[in-house]
Amino acid sequence: MSRIIIRNSTIVTMDAQRRVLTDHVLVVEGDRIVAITPQAEWVAQPGDDIVDGRSRYILPGFVNSHVHTVQHLSRGLSDDVDILTWLHDRIWPYESNLTEEDSYISTLLFGIEQIANGTTTVADAGVQHAGGTVRAVNELGIRAALCHSIMDEGEGLPESWRLSTDDCIALQEDEYRKYNGAADGRVRWWFGLRTLLNNSDALIVKTVEAANRRGTWIHMHVAEAWEEIEYCKQTRGTSTVRHLNRLGALGRNLLAVHVVYVEPDEIQLLHDWDVKVSHNPAAALRVMGLPKIVEMLEGGVTVGLGTDGAPSNCRNSIIDEMWLASLLQKGRLRNPSAMPAQTVLEMATIDSARCIGWDGEVGSIQVGKKADLVVIDPNTPNMQPMHDPISNMVFSMKTENVESTMCNGVWLLRDRKFTQIDVDEVLKEVRERAASIRKRAGIVLPKRFNWN
Ligand SMILES: [Zn+2]
């Protein structure tokens, strides 16, 4: 088997000692990292595919811990509106009108953007047509923890989504059997709970049982909106995290997304049960509120980064989220030392991997782990000079600095060219399908400015 060699590079390993190795050689064989050696000790073998990493930085592939692959064709469909208009008038009509082929194309567009941003692993909370999404993930070459968007109650739900509690579980058990381990193990199937506003207590309890029985994980939006907390207090008598605790739903395999409205005792509960939290700064700033990420980190909670879906975060780049994550906490606490660059880089790599239970294989560059990595070219005006490279990666870096992206030992982006996907072909489909879904769903946007 031929090896891929990246030589002369600086490797930001994100291993337990957070070593940054200068002038090293990274050796990939098959889907794994098999050696990391100082340049001077490296011996070439016949057939080696050698990449020169001079003046480049190698990072672990980013892990995006909260996404909505099927929302990508609805980018720009719900800007500048409140959360209820967002849901009831724009996104639910849009999502409930998708076909399996739409899901496939949406996931391709999503994946192309992620690969360009150096993201190799994602966790999706809202699959609609599993077959289309899994097919796209397979072709893209990325890694994904997927689950169905699950709702069994709530106001304004489209008729096609109204499943009974038992049908919600049966559907997901079927999908788990079909798709867990698909795409050479790059797909993991999880159980989903959309939000407390749309999930009965019976469903929450049964979901925990079903996920635990299979040793898989649960993806749920938790305490994301003030309206949710009010609703939970009215219908269950207490706030979301306290109520989930009462139901026995907190656990190490729960990925709680957003977690904006929590009190100190709830942060303690998240820590005690080892619940994982996905922080999505752009979506928080835009529509939800400002989460207490610093307090959660100080309380020992594992927090990862995510972009959320395109209609919540049109830019959809984990690189932009790193920058925002730090600024958001500095501004919220009026403390310039809050959320330093190294903490944010951890959140986008090893801690996000921990958040989705995949840290045994991804999230850091170590011998024996999967070969998921990104090559950063810092030789652009926005990245120079490099007084403090780690700082630059969080505060200055842009998508354009991603030169190459590898997942599972395969280059998905090489020298800024996509190797697995015909991007122009996908974009053509995207334009046609997006317009036709909007028409089918009857979504009419108000005209801005005076178009002639
Ligand atoms: Zn979400």
Side-chain angles (χ1 to χ4, degrees):
M1 193 187 299
S2 86
R3 311 186 304 173
I4 298 174
I5 310 291
I6 308 173
R7 65 178 182 188
N8 295 319
S9 58
T10 301
I11 305 171
V12 183
T13 64
M14 303 310 286
D15 66 5
Q17 295 81 39
R18 301 292 185 260
R19 288 179 304 155
V20 178
L21 307 170
T22 54
D23 259 336
H24 269 63
V25 175
L26 187 131
V27 182
V28 172
E29 196 168 328
D31 59 359
R32 304 235 171 223
I33 297 163
V34 295
I36 301 171
T37 54
Q39 186 69 34
E41 294 172 18
W42 169 65
V43 182
Q45 289 180 9
D48 279 352
D49 174 6
I50 299 170
V51 178
D52 191 30
R54 206 176 305 265
S55 87
R56 303 296 192 266
Y57 288 79
I58 315 294
L59 292 177
F62 293 117
V63 179
N64 186 345
S65 62
H66 181 63
V67 306
H68 290 261
T69 56
V70 299
Q71 287 181 354
H72 235 65
L73 302 185
S74 64
R75 189 197 325 257
L77 206 56
S78 51
D79 297 336
D80 301 323
V81 297
D82 64 85
I83 183 83
L84 287 180
T85 308
W86 192 98
L87 271 179
H88 294 166
D89 299 347
R90 307 282 174 87
I91 299 307
W92 284 359
Y94 160 84
E95 275 193 35
S96 61
N97 270 286
L98 292 172
T99 64
E100 178 161 335
E101 200 63 14
D102 295 332
S103 284
Y104 166 70
I105 295 296
S106 181
T107 307
L108 285 183
L109 178 66
F110 160 84
I112 288 167
E113 199 170 19
Q114 300 304 306
I115 292 166
N117 295 323
T119 296
T120 48
T121 302
V122 302
D124 186 350
V127 170
Q128 299 291 355
H129 297 275
T133 299
V134 171
R135 181 154 66 101
V137 166
N138 186 35
E139 290 173 18
L140 285 160
I142 59 172
R143 216 177 280 288
L146 305 172
C147 70
H148 206 103
S149 168
I150 288 293
M151 307 192 233
D152 68 338
E153 64 176 30
E155 274 183 31
L157 276 188
E159 211 35 58
S160 59
W161 283 357
R162 210 169 273 283
L163 288 182
S164 73
T165 305
D166 287 340
D167 286 348
C168 284
I169 298 292
L171 169 73
Q172 296 180 92
E173 286 184 325
D174 188 44
E175 289 173 334
Y176 180 88
R177 271 191 297 272
K178 273 192 198 144
Y179 301 117
N180 189 47
D184 300 324
R186 285 184 286 107
V187 169
R188 290 185 177 177
W189 203 265
W190 289 16
F191 281 69
L193 289 165
R194 186 92 181 202
T195 134
L196 203 120
L197 292 163
N198 300 104
N199 294 146
S200 68
D201 286 354
L203 178 62
I204 293 170
V205 170
K206 285 182 181 188
T207 299
V208 172
E209 281 170 12
N212 288 348
R213 208 177 320 131
R214 281 161 187 75
T216 189
W217 286 50
I218 300 165
H219 201 149
M220 182 181 191
H221 301 89
V222 172
E224 66 174 329
W226 184 244
E227 291 86 343
E228 175 197 323
I229 303 297
E230 287 296 301
Y231 174 82
C232 192
K233 283 180 177 166
Q234 276 167 24
T235 56
R236 271 84 156 194
T238 187
S239 56
T240 307
V241 171
R242 294 184 191 118
H243 182 62
L244 291 175
N245 180 46
R246 214 162 45 185
L247 291 178
L250 301 182
R252 54 166 291 281
N253 58 343
L254 174 64
L255 176 62
V257 180
H258 302 313
V259 195
V260 178
Y261 297 97
V262 280
E263 298 301 326
D265 63 299
E266 295 176 294
I267 293 175
Q268 188 66 45
L269 282 171
L270 295 172
H271 167 263
D272 291 349
W273 287 102
D274 197 15
V275 173
K276 312 302 191 294
V277 170
S278 173
H279 172 40
N280 302 203
L285 279 162
R286 176 170 164 153
V287 75
M288 294 157 194
L290 310 182
K292 298 168 185 155
I293 300 302
V294 168
E295 292 86 330
M296 286 193 230
L297 292 173
E298 283 170 0
V301 179
T302 305
V303 183
L305 269 194
T307 56
D308 210 343
S312 309
N313 176 7
C314 302
R315 302 175 78 94
N316 231 269
S317 165
I318 200 80
I319 290 175
D320 292 347
E321 296 304 289
M322 288 202 290
W323 167 67
L324 274 182
S326 183
L327 294 197
L328 192 162
Q329 296 302 314
K330 291 181 197 306
R332 182 179 74 84
L333 298 168
R334 285 186 287 168
N335 175 4
S337 314
M339 287 274 282
Q342 64 272 30
T343 302
V344 178
L345 200 56
E346 287 166 348
M347 285 171 68
T349 54
I350 188 64
D351 287 348
S352 264
R354 227 171 250 145
C355 274
I356 63 169
W358 224 325
D359 53 307
E361 295 199 302
V362 304
S364 61
I365 297 181
Q366 290 176 261
V367 172
K369 277 199 167 183
K370 294 284 189 184
D372 289 14
L373 51 91
V374 47
V375 180
I376 303 294
D377 171 10
N379 302 299
T380 57
N382 63 301
M383 285 287 270
Q384 294 296 326
M386 298 282 273
H387 294 299
D388 179 345
I390 302 299
S391 183
N392 278 25
M393 282 171 202
V394 169
F395 295 116
S396 311
M397 191 159 73
K398 294 182 178 169
T399 294
E400 292 72 30
N401 294 106
V402 173
E403 184 177 68
S404 302
T405 304
M406 174 186 283
C407 182
N408 220 31
V410 177
W411 291 113
L412 308 184
L413 185 78
R414 177 98 187 255
D415 295 331
R416 300 187 171 86
K417 288 190 186 65
F418 287 87
T419 61
Q420 311 293 308
I421 299 287
D422 183 339
V423 176
D424 290 339
E425 197 57 40
V426 174
L427 292 180
K428 186 168 153 274
E429 283 277 330
V430 161
R431 285 186 282 267
E432 286 165 12
R433 283 178 186 276
S436 111
I437 300 163
R438 196 178 68 198
K439 207 165 161 199
R440 266 197 325 266
I443 303 168
V444 180
L445 297 184
K447 276 267 182 286
R448 304 189 197 239
F449 293 138
N450 189 17
W451 287 65
N452 288 299

